[in-house]
Amino acid sequence: MRPEAVAAVAEGMARWANPSSPHAEGRAARAALEDARARIKAALGWEGELIFTSGASEALAIALGRAKAERRLVSAVEHDAVFRAAPGADVLPLFQDDQVSMPATPDTDFLRDYLKRSGKALVAIQSINSETGTNLLPFARNPAIEEVREAGGILLSDCSQSAGKYPLPPADLIALSAHKLGGPPGIGALLVRDLALIEPGGGQEFGYRGGTENLPGALGLAAALEAGDDDSWGTSVEQRFAFKDLLYGDDSEVIQQGVQCAHIFAVAMSRMSAAAQLIRFDALGFAVSAGSACSSGTLKRSRALKGFGVPDEVADRTIRVSLGWSTTPEELDAFAAAYREAAEQAKANA
């Protein structure tokens, strides 16, 4: 967490009361909550509505469960939370062509045909993939966005990995989590262009979510966003891309599927499983992961890597290396050295 967010959470804990209560303390909490809501929208440049949630997973569940659309279409590389919230959804594949150098983007021909025959649909396409760092909605005028717009559909984008770092895509519904941008865990938001797009449900948050609002979390999220985007990080974009290049070698590769962000990299080591790498790097003090982090601590084959067309035997050797606002250049150098040593040792032991 950013120190500004820690201080804001502490402030919220000290002055906390139920924002829905009519007494003076409750009214003060409500005023602080609405002030945080306005600050978050301003920091994100969002002019629609904002519903506080417990995180992006709940925001996605609300959007997928209550959007006023006849069908659900989700990209093949969405976070597991999307597939759990919409288990019967149709799957939008990515466009891939081994013969040409094309970014891995949603297959617009498939999308166009689907929208023509399916009526009004909710289409879920994440902003930045949480396992590879691929930006699936990199441009304001994106073909996939235009197809959904022209068909009168609803576009949902999981912006957990991009909010607070990059401009938001022009989606109708956007999910985000505070802890991905230096805020506290347990707080997130669903941004809604028009509340008429979703069915209500719950006693709080304009009638769209039940449960006492998390004022300390909301204050922490606002403070984290106001603390700065990735320009305020301890490393520059150039340093982070240079770090990615240090991980390349004869016995490793960075899996780059298209337009690449500068804070998440998927790296495959030739002769060591992802599980063995996690154990090794954890013992050295490096916190890395493999696959989705929302799987109850389990390590399972990545649905996202499969959706990107990565072979299973490569996916089983792939770890996710993600960087944050507090990452230092010295930490990048130390991990790159540890990674290269592990790859060389694995080669020698083969």
Side-chain angles (χ1 to χ4, degrees):
M1 286 176 61
R2 287 181 178 266
E4 298 90 343
V6 174
V9 170
E11 174 194 348
M13 297 292 282
R15 62 187 290 185
W16 190 84
N18 189 331
S20 296
S21 296
H23 49 60
E25 289 85 353
R27 296 196 304 274
R30 169 59 60 184
L33 183 74
E34 296 309 318
D35 180 66
R37 195 189 313 271
R39 290 163 56 199
I40 293 166
K41 289 168 58 176
L44 293 170
W46 182 254
E47 297 181 354
E49 302 295 338
L50 185 154
I51 298 170
F52 284 117
T53 66
S54 61
S57 292
E58 185 190 2
L60 290 166
I62 292 173
L64 288 159
R66 297 200 223 140
K68 295 178 181 178
E70 299 167 10
R71 304 288 294 274
R72 304 288 187 269
L73 178 68
V74 305
S75 87
V77 297
E78 294 299 306
H79 192 280
D80 280 349
V82 169
F83 290 92
R84 285 195 297 268
D90 298 313
V91 178
L92 170 63
L94 302 187
F95 173 82
Q96 295 174 340
D97 190 336
D98 294 335
Q99 304 303 119
V100 297
S101 176
M102 285 288 291
T105 58
D107 189 328
T108 51
D109 289 337
F110 180 100
L111 178 59
R112 185 181 306 112
D113 293 341
Y114 181 92
L115 293 171
K116 283 181 180 179
R117 54 186 166 79
S118 298
K120 187 173 184 178
L122 172 70
V123 181
I125 304 174
Q126 63 190 179
S127 175
I128 290 177
N129 183 263
S130 63
E131 296 182 41
T132 65
T134 305
N135 192 340
L136 296 175
L137 293 175
F139 309 111
R141 290 184 59 81
N142 182 281
I145 296 173
E146 294 180 3
E147 292 293 342
V148 177
R149 287 275 185 272
E150 291 178 8
I154 300 172
L155 180 62
L156 164 64
S157 188
D158 175 5
C159 292
S160 301
Q161 299 292 350
S162 62
K165 306 178 184 77
Y166 301 96
L168 297 176
D172 302 298
L173 303 170
I174 288 175
L176 60 91
S177 275
H179 72 275
K180 298 295 186 183
L181 48 88
I187 184 73
L190 175 65
L191 308 182
V192 186
R193 179 175 58 79
D194 184 346
L195 288 174
L197 295 173
I198 58 176
E199 298 285 352
Q204 285 78 24
E205 291 300 286
F206 317 111
Y208 288 88
R209 193 236 184 194
T212 301
E213 294 96 333
N214 180 356
L215 174 59
L219 293 173
L221 172 54
L225 282 167
E226 291 171 345
D229 56 18
D230 67 346
D231 288 337
S232 67
W233 286 18
T235 57
S236 67
V237 170
E238 292 75 18
Q239 286 173 317
R240 299 195 289 276
F241 276 128
F243 163 74
K244 177 197 70 171
D245 294 338
L246 291 176
L247 302 181
Y248 276 106
D250 294 337
D251 301 292
S252 64
E253 64 172 314
V254 177
I255 298 173
Q256 186 164 320
Q257 295 294 325
V259 179
Q260 178 73 46
C261 78
H263 64 281
I264 301 171
F265 305 110
V267 194
M269 192 180 294
S270 296
R271 295 175 175 84
M272 189 180 296
S273 70
Q277 292 179 62
L278 297 191
I279 294 170
R280 180 187 182 102
F281 293 130
D282 182 54
L284 294 173
F286 297 107
V288 294
S289 62
S292 166
C294 294
S295 302
S296 301
T298 60
L299 182 61
K300 61 182 181 180
R301 183 162 286 161
S302 167
R303 185 201 305 268
L305 292 181
K306 189 175 185 66
F308 277 116
V310 177
D312 287 344
E313 62 91 12
V314 176
D316 289 344
R317 296 183 281 101
T318 300
I319 64 171
R320 175 179 63 173
V321 181
S322 54
L323 318 176
W325 69 270
S326 62
T327 305
T328 66
E330 292 76 19
E331 288 170 336
L332 297 185
D333 291 341
F335 181 80
Y339 187 89
R340 297 306 319 151
E341 180 180 353
E344 291 168 6
Q345 183 176 337
K347 181 180 180 179
N349 294 338

